[in-house]
Amino acid sequence: MAQSRSEKKPAADTDNKSFTLVDNQTGESYELPALEGTMGPRVVDIRKLYGQSGLFTYDPGFTSTASCSSSITFIDGEKGMLLHRGYAIADLAENSDFMDVCYLLLYGELPSPEEKQEFEDSITNHTMLHEQLVTFYRGYKRDSHPMAIMVGVVGALSAFYHDSTDIHDPMQRMIAAHRMIAKMPTIGAYAYKYALGQPFMYPRNDLSYSANLLRMMFGVPTEDYVVNETLARAIDKLLILHADHEQNASTSTVRLAGSSGANPFACIAAGIASLWGPAHGGANEAVLNMLNEIGSVERIPEFIKRAQDPNDPFRLMGFGHRVYKNYDPRATVLRKSCHEVLEVLGVNDPRLELAMELERIALEDDYFVDRKLYPNVDFYSGIILSALGFPTNMFTVLFAIGRTVGWIAHWKEMLGDSENKIGRPRQLYTGQTERPFTAVEGRQHSENKISWSWLWRSNRNEPHQP
């Protein structure tokens, strides 16, 4: 069976806006409509394919499948382009702040001064956590990973705000959205403070979103915390650059959970869980670990050689991207911000020298150029966060704080889509065909054998043999 490609002759219709799928075994053909967005490749509409032909499509990882239509974010990986509602990410990072971008993603346009003030006031007035929710932190061990705490606390919000969980009410959706954006920095900062055993710092209404985050993270009740505006601006840019990135794993998770009509706070908790994965939100932490492993500029050739060896498991983290086949536009913004932060702090971080040399190699070495392995946003973000004093296990928390507005924007858009239906991917089944059950005395399973007595003793914390 072969499917016609876009360069082949489409089905004969007046507009030529369809494709013909031909089954080479039977000779049967099926006409499939072609859809076009405002930008990007055309899309083959396969919604009726199974009903017409009994066929599924097979696309592991959904690398060639559009799961929805969206007007929020556009990425052209070949050109290194990232647009939010039509605005280039570099323009937004240089000329707006995170509240502007939040409003843009949620409502489609940049706010007027009056709209922005109203929006900021709403966010500011929702930053505190319910005191009963604060006690929730005590249920965690002090050394718990902050992302584990984020998943639990954000999910628990659904038990506290029953007035904003009717997803069919636009007003309640808006309230839930504002609450989630407002409370995420507080939730993240409290996870950090809890690990240190320090008192929680309440948010302040006279500080900006990013300044509040820094104060709640690093301030203490015994003295005033003076916010450095350059550092607050660096955090603001970081949040902007992580605000949304189209249908990535965590955003798709939020959409899939939301498609069932799930509680909005539970949907965001699902997104956080997905982001926690090292292949997604944990990449900037991996970059820092890699730079620590290399150690000095003199050792770079050794690790470059290892990266080029297909038999060596070592990989240069922070280079290349699943989507971008050109320079990640977010990395350009962060490179400049990285220098600014280190200059203000007076930090002479040898990892920056390492990063600069690795970047030079990536842009000049044929191995990297031919494979288009350019530095991505994670390459610099780890250095910035480390310089600001964030421990590595908090890096993904900062990512989640910035990405929350993107998750909510997609959740909100999905619920307003007339074509929305519960997500239900299909599969290519490769297991046993139907077979009769035959009782066999003493049947032994060759795989996945479990010693239930061992498990029982383990759960009771009794001594046992491995």
Side-chain angles (χ1 to χ4, degrees):
M1 185 180 69
Q3 182 173 352
S4 62
R5 300 183 181 272
S6 57
E7 66 269 16
K8 295 183 179 180
K9 185 178 179 181
D13 69 348
T14 56
D15 295 323
N16 287 335
K17 291 184 178 179
S18 64
F19 292 84
T20 299
L21 177 70
V22 179
D23 187 334
N24 291 334
Q25 289 183 342
T26 66
E28 294 183 274
S29 63
Y30 310 94
E31 186 174 320
L32 303 173
L35 305 178
E36 295 186 20
T38 52
M39 299 179 72
R42 289 192 295 166
V43 175
V44 181
D45 185 350
I46 60 169
R47 283 175 289 182
K48 297 182 180 179
L49 177 62
Y50 178 68
Q52 294 175 352
S53 64
L55 299 172
F56 292 151
T57 58
Y58 184 64
D59 184 20
F62 305 109
T63 57
S64 300
T65 299
S67 61
C68 63
S69 62
S70 179
S71 61
I72 299 173
T73 296
F74 175 77
I75 298 172
D76 187 325
E78 297 296 332
K79 297 179 180 179
M81 177 187 293
L82 171 60
L83 306 178
H84 292 330
R85 303 288 191 181
Y87 294 102
I89 188 62
D91 290 339
L92 291 173
E94 293 297 332
N95 302 303
S96 65
D97 61 24
F98 186 58
M99 288 293 96
D100 286 320
V101 174
C102 286
Y103 190 96
L104 174 68
L105 292 175
L106 288 174
Y107 303 110
E109 299 291 343
L110 289 168
S112 67
E114 295 77 18
E115 289 170 334
K116 183 177 181 181
Q117 187 61 57
E118 182 180 358
F119 180 69
E120 285 186 326
D121 288 345
S122 177
I123 298 300
T124 299
N125 291 331
H126 285 97
T127 52
M128 291 184 65
L129 298 184
H130 193 291
E131 280 299 302
Q132 191 65 28
L133 186 64
V134 172
T135 64
F136 199 75
Y137 285 81
R138 297 176 186 169
Y140 292 96
K141 294 176 64 179
R142 293 284 179 178
D143 60 353
S144 298
H145 196 289
M147 284 296 282
I149 297 176
M150 295 287 284
V151 172
V153 175
V154 171
L157 288 174
S158 58
F160 285 80
Y161 299 107
H162 304 291
D163 62 335
S164 58
T165 55
D166 182 356
I167 63 173
H168 304 293
D169 183 346
M171 180 59 69
Q172 291 193 39
R173 290 203 299 265
M174 184 194 74
I175 294 172
H178 287 201
R179 278 178 172 156
M180 200 70 263
I181 295 168
K183 297 182 188 304
M184 193 64 76
T186 311
I187 294 171
Y190 283 13
Y192 174 65
K193 287 296 193 184
Y194 182 74
L196 296 178
Q198 292 183 358
F200 294 154
M201 296 290 290
Y202 289 109
R204 276 177 35 178
N205 291 350
D206 61 332
L207 294 178
S208 69
Y209 192 87
S210 298
N212 241 328
L213 175 58
L214 286 173
R215 180 183 172 275
M216 288 190 293
M217 281 281 299
F218 303 118
V220 291
T222 53
E223 60 185 42
D224 291 334
Y225 180 84
V226 179
V227 178
N228 184 298
E229 290 302 322
T230 300
L231 303 185
R233 179 59 180 159
I235 287 293
D236 207 69
K237 285 187 178 181
L238 198 70
L239 296 177
I240 290 173
L241 296 175
H242 286 102
D244 190 50
H245 210 237
E246 206 222 58
Q247 306 305 319
N248 51 79
S250 57
T251 300
S252 297
T253 298
V254 172
R255 278 185 173 264
L256 190 61
S259 71
S260 70
N263 180 285
F265 302 108
C267 294
I268 300 305
I272 295 172
S274 177
L275 184 70
W276 190 1
H280 191 2
N284 51 10
E285 182 177 344
V287 170
L288 206 65
N289 292 334
M290 175 198 70
L291 294 176
N292 289 332
E293 182 182 359
I294 295 174
S296 66
V297 172
E298 290 72 24
R299 297 190 67 196
I300 289 179
E302 170 193 342
F303 284 87
I304 292 295
K305 184 177 180 181
R306 289 183 59 188
Q308 296 175 353
D309 183 356
N311 297 319
D312 193 318
F314 174 78
R315 293 293 179 266
L316 286 178
M317 305 304 297
F319 288 84
H321 195 275
R322 173 81 172 267
V323 175
Y324 294 111
K325 305 307 177 186
N326 205 317
Y327 203 89
D328 184 340
R330 302 168 298 173
T332 304
V333 177
L334 275 194
R335 184 179 187 273
K336 178 182 176 182
S337 184
C338 185
H339 284 284
E340 292 173 350
V341 167
L342 294 177
E343 182 178 353
V344 167
L345 295 175
V347 176
N348 184 19
D349 193 333
R351 290 172 298 190
L352 179 61
E353 184 181 359
L354 273 175
M356 296 299 99
E357 180 64 11
L358 284 173
E359 181 190 51
R360 184 191 65 78
I361 292 172
L363 296 177
E364 296 178 2
D365 189 279
D366 289 342
Y367 177 87
F368 293 94
V369 172
D370 292 345
R371 292 163 177 78
K372 298 182 178 180
L373 298 175
Y374 301 110
N376 59 40
V377 67
D378 300 307
F379 187 68
Y380 294 107
S381 63
I383 300 174
I384 293 174
L385 293 175
S386 179
L388 289 172
F390 290 93
T392 53
N393 65 3
M394 281 293 295
F395 288 1
T396 314
V397 172
L398 269 292
F399 195 154
I401 293 171
R403 183 56 56 86
T404 296
V405 65
W407 292 332
I408 293 171
H410 283 274
W411 172 79
K412 178 173 172 283
E413 180 185 61
M414 178 196 65
L415 293 177
D417 187 352
S418 61
E419 295 183 335
N420 177 45
K421 58 178 64 177
I422 187 171
R424 180 59 172 86
R426 307 309 292 256
Q427 66 176 13
L428 175 65
Y429 178 68
T430 58
Q432 291 280 358
T433 58
E434 185 175 6
R435 51 182 173 167
F437 177 82
T438 304
V440 178
E441 185 176 353
R443 177 187 286 115
Q444 295 291 324
H445 296 285
S446 59
E447 297 180 358
N448 301 323
K449 294 177 64 177
I450 298 175
S451 173
W452 294 108
S453 60
W454 175 88
L455 183 62
W456 180 79
R457 289 194 302 269
S458 176
N459 287 339
R460 295 188 63 198
N461 295 318
E462 293 183 359
H464 58 269
Q465 296 297 321

